[in-house]
Amino acid sequence: MLGQSNQTKDLVNSFIREVLIDKNELGNQPSKIETLINKNLTIAQRGESFNYKAGDVILFNKGNSNLNIEKNEYFKVKNINNKLLNLESLSENKKEITFNPSLSKSYRKSVEVYKTEEREFRAEDQVMFTRKIESKDSPIVNSTLGIIKGIKESSYIIEVEGNEAEFSKDSSALKHMDYSYCRTTHKGQGATTKTAILITESWWKHLTNQRNMLVQATRQKEEIFLVVDNK
């Protein structure tokens, strides 16, 4: 199932999960995780402090010894003062640093900015990883699909490509996890399925176009169903 926007995708995923829970097709024990939603800031936007908010999470893909930043380290924005970001590491050491987002353009290329969103997961939920994660247990690439097979006190058991892997609840992989019942057109690129359900809404003017429709309509092998409004 493909939707044109994140808003549509989230709404459909929420509805499908409600139905599955009512039919007892998902586990009885819910577990909540703080997940990360990419704010998709441009390189220029990452250089302006007003594009950040307290609670945002910043991922540094490159280390910087002068700033006391390790490669692939996550920081949460505590507050913003005089265009400087006061950050706290999400690692065990909880170190605090001050970061000037107007640093060189080349360094800003290695910065990712996320907002946080709490999501509930249950056993048998179908999920998708939204970012490449280097894991010794199971390599994860962007859009990798999985099924939650079990939830323990401090970890998730997820079946990925036919193999089960255990992920700690504080692992990077679970920070970048979403439901996969409905995906955006962008996330559906390259995927092939027996049947496709396409949700096309006229009010998304910049998304309802021939290019996106071509991506949506070439995912299926046998059947395609189109859901549209009356305009």
Side-chain angles (χ1 to χ4, degrees), residues 74-133:
Y74 292 83
F75 286 83
K76 178 165 285 191
V77 179
K78 294 187 66 178
N79 54 65
I80 303 170
N81 187 18
N82 292 326
K83 298 185 178 181
L84 298 178
L85 309 181
N86 295 316
L87 309 178
E88 180 180 73
S89 174
L90 296 184
S91 60
E92 293 182 356
N93 58 34
K94 299 292 184 181
K95 66 184 177 186
E96 296 186 11
I97 66 169
T98 299
F99 176 65
N100 182 356
S102 62
L103 285 171
S104 68
K105 180 178 179 180
S106 60
Y107 190 67
R108 292 203 304 272
K109 290 181 180 180
S110 66
V111 172
E112 298 175 28
V113 185
Y114 297 88
K115 62 181 181 180
T116 61
E117 182 175 299
E118 189 176 66
R119 286 203 171 109
E120 176 202 278
F121 294 98
R122 300 181 182 226
E124 300 305 323
D125 254 326
Q126 297 180 28
V127 297
M128 176 176 62
F129 295 95
T130 58
R131 190 185 186 280
K132 179 180 178 180
I133 302 293

Side-chain angles (χ1 to χ4, degrees), residues 9 11 23 26 47 77 84 87 110 120 155 166 186 225 227:
K9 178 260 298 180
L11 183 62
K23 296 175 65 176
L26 298 182
V77 179
L84 298 178
L87 309 178
S110 66
E120 176 202 278
S155 64
E166 186 168 359
H186 175 71
F225 297 90
V227 181

Side-chain angles (χ1 to χ4, degrees), residues 1 5 14-16 20 27 66 69 72 75 86-87 89 103 118 121 124 126-127 130 134 146 159 216 219 226-227 230:
M1 184 176 294
S5 67
S14 177
F15 176 75
I16 291 175
L20 293 175
N66 293 328
I69 296 173
N72 296 328
F75 286 83
N86 295 316
L87 309 178
S89 174
L103 285 171
E118 189 176 66
F121 294 98
E124 300 305 323
Q126 297 180 28
V127 297
T130 58
E134 295 180 5
E159 181 181 301
Q216 287 184 316
R219 302 304 97 201
L226 188 62
V227 181
N230 61 358

Side-chain angles (χ1 to χ4, degrees), residues 132-170:
K132 179 180 178 180
I133 302 293
E134 295 180 5
S135 169
K136 62 180 181 180
D137 300 315
S138 179
I140 300 297
V141 298
N142 195 357
S143 300
T144 293
L145 302 178
I147 300 175
I148 298 175
K149 305 307 292 184
I151 298 177
K152 299 181 179 180
E153 182 177 350
S154 59
S155 64
Y156 279 38
I157 307 298
I158 303 178
E159 181 181 301
V160 180
E161 297 180 347
N163 299 309
E164 291 189 0
E166 186 168 359
F167 297 89
S168 169
K169 286 187 177 180
D170 61 358

